Amino acid sequence: MMLNPNNYSSYLNIKEFNYQYQYVRNTLQLNLGNRPGPDSLQHPLFADIAFYSGVSSTDWSWAPMVADFDNDGYKDIIITNGFPRDVTDHDFIAYRANTRNYAPKDMILEQIPVIKLTNYAFKNNGDLTFSNVSKEWGIELPTFSNGAAYADLDNDGDLDYIVNNIDDSAHVYRNNLHEQHDKNNYLRIKLKGDSSNPEAIGSMIEIRYGKDKQQIHEQTPYRGYLSSMESTIHFGLGSDSVVKNIKITWPDGKIQVLNNVKGNQVLIINKANTDLPVSISNTSAEYFLKDITDSLRLHYVHADKDYIDFNVQKLLLHKFSQYGPAIAAGDVNGDGLDDFFIAGSYGNSGKFFLQQPDGKFKEKDLEPDADMNSKPREDAGVLLFDADNDGDLDLYIASGGYENNEGSDNYKDCFYINDGKGNFQLNKSAFPASAISKSCVTAVDFDKDGDIDLFVGGRVLPGKYPMPVSSFIYRNDTKNNNIKFTDVTPTVAPGLLNTGLVCDMLWTDVDNDGWCDIMLAGEWMPVTILKNNKGTFQKLNNTGLENHSGWWNSLVAGDFDNDGDIDYIAGNVGLNTFYKASETYPAKIYASDYNKDGGYDAIPSLFLPDTKGNLEEFPAFGRDDMIKQMIGFKGRFTNYKKYALSNISGVLTKEEIEQSLKLETTDLSSCFIKNNGNGKFEIVRLPVQAQLSSVFGMLASDIDGDGNLDLVINGNDYSTEIATGHYDALNGLVLQGDGKGNFTSMPASVSGLYIPGDGKALIRLRSSNDKSLIIATQNQGPLIVFKERINNKLIPLKPADVSIEYIYTSGVKRKEELFYGSSFYSQSGRYAIANPAIKSISVTDNSGKKRSLVP
């Protein structure tokens, strides 16, 4: 009723002039600690988690009160809500706002809707989520509220709540926690500063209690909207009645510490008693990953024309033209040093970065004269592999994006032959042509005939999202230096025909039978496995993955629980989004040519509360956006209220629903997929920090040197439709593995990983001194290179090697698969890792032969 339609032109203007993006919703900014670097104290990191936390939508809000109202040790939120006249009501604007020439002003103003709404109370669940407890806490009287404050008005140890209301009396809510004999404890602190600052405004108070519990408070009474709180500081303690340690940092930097303080009292602390010196912060740190981009003089910034996919289909959830750049590593010029190739965007050439003996990189364009006319195509996945067994790496580029019409030749992929010295020539005859928009490209000798075959993922049919498309297996039939690949999909893998919207793929031996199987991740589909039956593929059913349809972006493999088989991580869109999905309440999409105009209309939906608070399935977009896609809906819904009250069965007729392509997703979380053997898998949700944004490039690696695989993540997505806004709550992430399949988030101030933009691919390659480098790409952002702290030596492997077994001095055994391409748009170098903690390394090739490497 009040939200404006999406306006991408306005979005582009905001972006062009570097203004702040604007969203009509709440934000909840989570403090992630300090940014890596010597000046870290000046650069704290924050992430908006309002969608994840459940506090994004509270109507027309004014004063958020953040305090512990139930004394359980976690700060709750109460938000005032109300506006006397809904001046942005679209029915009023469309039908009555311009009648001032025909009706008295008072009459027009009386036509503006008046709706009193309740305020919102959210209980903190202690896991970064909040539950709406407005009714349970008694905050349910409809009002026009704005300013609010809290204080312990009756000195009983809990916080009471005061709110003023327009055209109404103020309300005072007494907190009955104490009267209900609640056992939660508290501590209240009154600071006495010096004469120039008697209430010690600006002080920081930290308390530690229980088992590793802590809280921090910044002393300022000025909170909320045009409001001030009491100056006494309130901490809920839950079941703990003693505070082990209180640390006060006064505004001048002096410190005061108190130990073993009893709870359930008002404690007065006087600055005059301070006897500790001024605090001096030590900002030095040794990170597990250190940004060395500048020292390598790598100043590449990805260029990408902002094509508006939403002009093709108005109700897209995201763009398809904004997912690059892909990156692939390998020695392309035969000098023994790892180089890498970065894919080009529409109108821009891909680039080689050739490593020099001093560890620096020299840039070289694949197509030096590329522009919009000579290169009207978007590079998607890229792969360096030896197509003709001549000992050098050739280049395959999958063409993707959304910039061209369906069936355009610009969606045909490009293959380049290497002359052995890093010079590449386009070959148009080696591969069959396919004119759909692609995603990933990966390689393996799937039929064990001694040469490398390819998988190419089909992403989308431009203009007809979300219609399923085919993916392809190209068998290598090269003979006598005549490079030829054959599309054998219909005969060896018919399950790939119209399989869905594939975003990523792994060649992986899921059952340890020595044959590489196929694992797919895609949009509106579950993680799907096709078992390799000695050269032909059949879909594996009853895997435990079927009920987890998602918007999966990426896959990475690793023996995360050290049990000898390969597990997986699947990157998803995350849980910090307007869209919610479960088996009971899935997100859905309906698609057909409803207008009968030759177009393809796709209507996303999700479950939202109706007027009675019951969850019903509603279209995700408003009336104006719907009409832009299907003009006939303007006559079907002559006003906004009728549309707002209509669930999906009211928006589409029964006949339209029956004729629709219907897809759904039930799981938006990024997950650990545990391999239980015998084709059975168990999905376990990754820690909360990995759910705060979209996950793309991933690297399974032992970052901390404890013998267990960790996970390095590159993420975020700026291609989303603008009402939802950017998924930008990741700055890169390291998850520490414990060798049992469990993960713990590592702060950026410890890991050193900082990728703040629209992160995409992530690879590892070998430096000129055999050390490990990790490279991350960002869409329309700079390339970032990290050096690992752990002293890993990288040992090159042979093209036919398919797996490694590491045995650590601790007795831990771990299996690792070797890929030509792994995780979103990424291809790392091929090598074994050696360090003092590794006792032995054995490598298995495609024929089953084993050999040992010297660590």
Side-chain angles (χ1 to χ4, degrees), residues 296-309:
L296 294 178
R297 296 199 293 272
L298 271 171
H299 302 303
Y300 172 83
V301 178
H302 176 249
D304 195 1
K305 180 180 181 292
D306 205 331
Y307 181 78
I308 307 177
D309 301 35

Side-chain angles (χ1 to χ4, degrees), residues 584-604:
T584 306
Y585 301 110
K588 297 183 181 182
I589 193 165
Y590 300 80
S592 183
D593 181 8
Y594 300 112
N595 263 359
K596 307 299 182 185
D597 59 358
Y600 199 67
D601 310 309
I603 303 176

Side-chain angles (χ1 to χ4, degrees), residues 37-59:
D39 56 349
S40 60
L41 286 181
Q42 302 174 23
H43 294 87
L45 296 176
F46 289 88
D48 172 20
I49 64 169
F51 279 133
Y52 177 85
S53 295
V55 298
S56 63
S57 306
T58 55
D59 297 292

Side-chain angles (χ1 to χ4, degrees), residues 684-701:
V684 181
R685 186 174 288 180
L686 289 176
V688 103
Q689 291 80 1
Q691 310 299 343
L692 300 182
S693 193
S694 294
V695 169
F696 287 98
M698 297 185 288
L699 191 66
S701 178

Side-chain angles (χ1 to χ4, degrees), residues 277-487:
V278 172
S279 168
I280 298 176
S281 298
N282 181 7
T283 61
S284 63
E286 187 177 4
Y287 306 111
F288 286 105
L289 299 170
K290 182 180 179 182
D291 185 342
I292 60 168
T293 313
D294 287 341
S295 65
L296 294 178
R297 296 199 293 272
L298 271 171
H299 302 303
Y300 172 83
V301 178
H302 176 249
D304 195 1
K305 180 180 181 292
D306 205 331
Y307 181 78
I308 307 177
D309 301 35
F310 305 108
N311 286 344
V312 181
Q313 284 179 280
K314 305 299 190 296
L315 305 182
L316 289 176
L317 297 170
H318 54 77
K319 295 167 38 172
F320 293 90
S321 60
Q322 196 172 316
Y323 279 126
I327 183 171
D331 179 10
V332 300
N333 56 3
D335 63 357
L337 299 174
D338 266 1
D339 313 301
F340 63 92
F341 176 78
I342 295 182
S345 61
Y346 188 93
N348 292 285
S349 171
K351 295 179 183 292
F352 289 101
F353 290 82
L354 306 176
Q355 189 169 184
Q356 307 301 301
D358 63 357
K360 304 294 193 301
F361 289 85
K362 183 179 180 181
E363 186 175 327
K364 178 182 178 181
D365 283 341
L366 175 65
E367 303 173 75
D369 300 320
D371 57 23
M372 297 294 181
N373 295 317
S374 64
K375 186 181 178 290
R377 64 184 185 277
E378 177 89 11
D379 296 346
V382 297
L383 190 75
L384 291 167
F385 74 111
D386 189 356
D388 49 3
N389 276 337
D390 63 352
D392 57 38
L393 295 177
D394 307 300
L395 175 65
Y396 190 97
I397 302 177
S399 294
Y402 218 64
E403 292 92 337
N404 297 292
N405 294 328
E406 175 189 353
S408 168
D409 285 348
N410 295 320
Y411 289 118
K412 294 179 179 179
D413 302 341
C414 296
F415 172 65
Y416 297 85
I417 300 174
N418 190 348
D419 68 355
K421 299 179 181 180
N423 301 306
F424 289 82
Q425 182 177 0
L426 181 64
N427 181 309
K428 295 184 178 181
S429 61
F431 282 86
S434 172
I436 65 170
S437 181
K438 320 292 196 316
S439 56
C440 56
V441 52
T442 59
V444 78
D445 181 7
F446 81 88
D447 50 7
K448 295 194 175 186
D449 64 351
D451 51 30
I452 298 296
D453 312 296
L454 258 62
F455 172 94
V456 179
R459 183 64 178 94
V460 70
L461 196 62
K464 292 187 177 179
Y465 171 84
M467 184 180 289
V469 297
S470 297
S471 293
F472 308 94
I473 291 180
Y474 296 145
R475 187 182 62 203
N476 193 336
D477 292 330
T478 300
K479 293 181 180 179
N480 302 322
N481 296 322
N482 179 29
I483 302 176
K484 179 177 177 58
F485 284 76
T486 305
D487 181 2

Side-chain angles (χ1 to χ4, degrees), residues 504 506 521 552-557 560 568-572 670-673 686 690 694-701 710-715 730 733 735 753 755 759-764 774-776 819 821-828:
D504 199 12
L506 284 179
W552 305 105
N553 298 315
S554 58
L555 293 166
V556 72
F560 292 99
Y568 307 92
I569 304 291
N572 212 332
S670 294
C671 297
F672 167 57
I673 301 177
L686 289 176
S694 294
V695 169
F696 287 98
M698 297 185 288
L699 191 66
S701 178
D710 309 307
L711 186 67
V712 186
I713 294 173
N714 192 10
L730 274 182
L733 180 65
L735 295 179
L753 187 73
I755 312 169
K760 291 295 172 270
L762 191 69
I763 67 163
R764 169 187 270 142
I774 292 176
I775 303 180
F819 308 104
S822 174
S823 110
F824 183 84
Y825 279 18
S826 305
Q827 181 191 3
S828 291

